[in-house]
């Protein structure tokens, strides 16, 4: 009963975005006492954090979009190729997608599939990145 009274007195947001992967995470009762301090959706994201390479990918996505028309899009592989080397850029594909999701949360870009904006937390398959409109 005390939990219901506390919940009624101070409503908590139902979701927030993981600081590492950029995916939406839902409130869980185990986080009731420290929801404001929760930053990561999983132990894997907590261990990974946000590295210098992740920040370079974010910067590269923005730089690549700045060089294109306002309505143009880029593929995450464009950023991965720009940051990585000829041999290791494929290893940067998922980090590039994570960087794009974090930029969506910041309101800088949109993620699209088939020309339509999609939810970055649930998008599967090939995506494109464009400036937020």
């Amino acid at each position: 009963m005390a939990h219901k009274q506390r919940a009624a007195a101070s409503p908590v947001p139902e979701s927030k975005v993981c600081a590492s992967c950029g995916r939406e995470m839902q409130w869980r009762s185990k986080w009731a006492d420290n929801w404001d301090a929760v930053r990561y959706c999983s132990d894997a994201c907590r261990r990974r954090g946000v590295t210098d390479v992740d920040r370079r990918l974010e910067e590269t996505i923005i730089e690549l979009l700045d060089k294109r028309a306002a309505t143009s899009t880029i593929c995450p592989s464009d950023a991965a190729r720009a940051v990585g080397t000829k041999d290791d850029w494929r290893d940067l594909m998922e980090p590039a997608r994570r960087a794009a999701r974090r930029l969506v949360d910041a309101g800088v870009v949109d993620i699209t599939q088939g020309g339509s904006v999609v939810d970055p937390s649930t998008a599967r398959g090939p995506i494109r990145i464009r400036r937020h409109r």
Side-chain angles (χ1 to χ4, degrees):
M1 186 72 171
H3 175 71
K4 288 182 182 179
Q5 289 173 347
R6 186 176 61 212
S10 60
V12 295
E14 292 185 21
S15 65
K16 61 168 82 172
V17 174
C18 177
S20 179
C21 70
R23 287 192 172 101
E24 185 177 17
M25 54 184 171
Q26 299 297 318
W27 182 87
R28 299 177 191 164
S29 59
K30 73 176 188 176
W31 291 334
D33 294 332
N34 66 341
W35 177 243
D36 292 337
V38 173
R39 294 190 60 223
Y40 302 104
C41 64
S42 66
D43 289 335
C45 282
R46 186 177 4 276
R47 281 190 301 272
R48 184 183 315 114
V50 180
T51 66
D52 291 339
V53 171
D54 293 328
R55 294 292 179 211
R56 277 201 333 251
L57 284 164
E58 289 175 10
E59 293 167 4
T60 302
I61 289 170
I62 293 168
E63 289 170 5
L64 291 170
L65 288 170
D66 285 345
K67 294 177 183 176
R68 301 195 180 194
T71 58
S72 294
T73 63
I74 63 167
C75 180
S77 65
D78 297 333
R81 284 185 175 102
V83 171
T85 64
K86 182 179 137 183
D87 296 327
D88 74 351
W89 69 268
R90 284 182 179 85
D91 296 336
L92 294 176
M93 283 299 296
E94 184 53 33
R97 290 173 67 99
R98 286 194 305 263
R101 287 191 297 264
R102 287 190 303 273
L103 290 172
V104 167
D105 183 51
V108 177
V109 301
D110 292 322
I111 291 179
T112 64
Q113 286 182 320
S116 300
V117 176
V118 295
D119 179 2
S121 295
T122 60
R124 301 287 182 255
I127 63 169
R128 302 288 295 178
I129 306 164
R130 73 172 187 205
R131 281 276 183 197
H132 180 68
R133 295 181 188 174

